[in-house]
Amino acid sequence: MNIDERTQVSRKAGNGEGVPEAQAMPGTDHRESADGYRGVILTLGQYRVAVCRDGLQWLFQRRRPGFAGVGPAWDTLGFCTSRNALIRLHRSHIGAETPVLLQLPELFKREGAE
């Protein structure tokens, strides 16, 4: 499976610039660890990037192993406000480059901030 098949991206990638390829499945849950979290902007297999619920930074998360009768959940591995830090964190866990991360804004900006 190639990166394009594993990648879902939202336009809500920090300060509205987004990543234009595709829209992520819109979630409605406000809990950052929930499978249906509304801030998810990018999913790569068992990893994902989301905007924190306060809109201050990106979260890099990994899917928690599932248990019978319990829905999927996500653990946050790190918080980043710069694209380069997010790329380094991603590379340290996955061991590969993901070009779609280069389309994120250089710095995360809170919506409405100048």
Side-chain angles (χ1 to χ4, degrees):
M1 181 178 330
N2 67 34
I3 294 282
D4 293 334
E5 292 170 342
R6 292 182 297 152
T7 304
Q8 297 176 346
V9 185
S10 163
R11 297 188 191 284
K12 186 181 173 187
N15 62 343
E17 292 180 32
V19 184
E21 276 77 34
Q23 287 280 37
M25 304 290 214
T28 57
D29 203 315
H30 68 281
R31 296 171 299 146
E32 294 173 346
S33 63
D35 199 39
Y37 177 54
R38 63 181 169 216
V40 173
I41 58 169
L42 172 70
T43 303
L44 296 160
Q46 68 175 352
Y47 294 91
R48 74 181 185 186
V49 176
V51 174
C52 79
R53 72 175 153 241
D54 296 323
L56 301 173
Q57 58 202 346
W58 292 299
L59 309 173
F60 183 69
Q61 300 180 312
R62 178 177 52 209
R63 184 185 300 267
R64 192 179 300 160
F67 299 99
V70 179
W74 296 80
D75 293 317
T76 299
L77 303 174
F79 308 89
C80 302
T81 57
S82 77
R83 179 181 62 210
N84 287 338
L86 181 61
I87 289 170
R88 281 193 308 271
L89 181 61
H90 173 271
R91 190 180 312 129
S92 73
H93 286 278
I94 295 181
E97 299 290 326
T98 301
V100 71
L101 293 177
L102 294 172
Q103 296 178 26
L104 291 171
E106 187 174 329
L107 296 173
F108 186 94
K109 292 181 190 169
R110 188 175 187 158
E111 281 190 34
E114 292 181 22

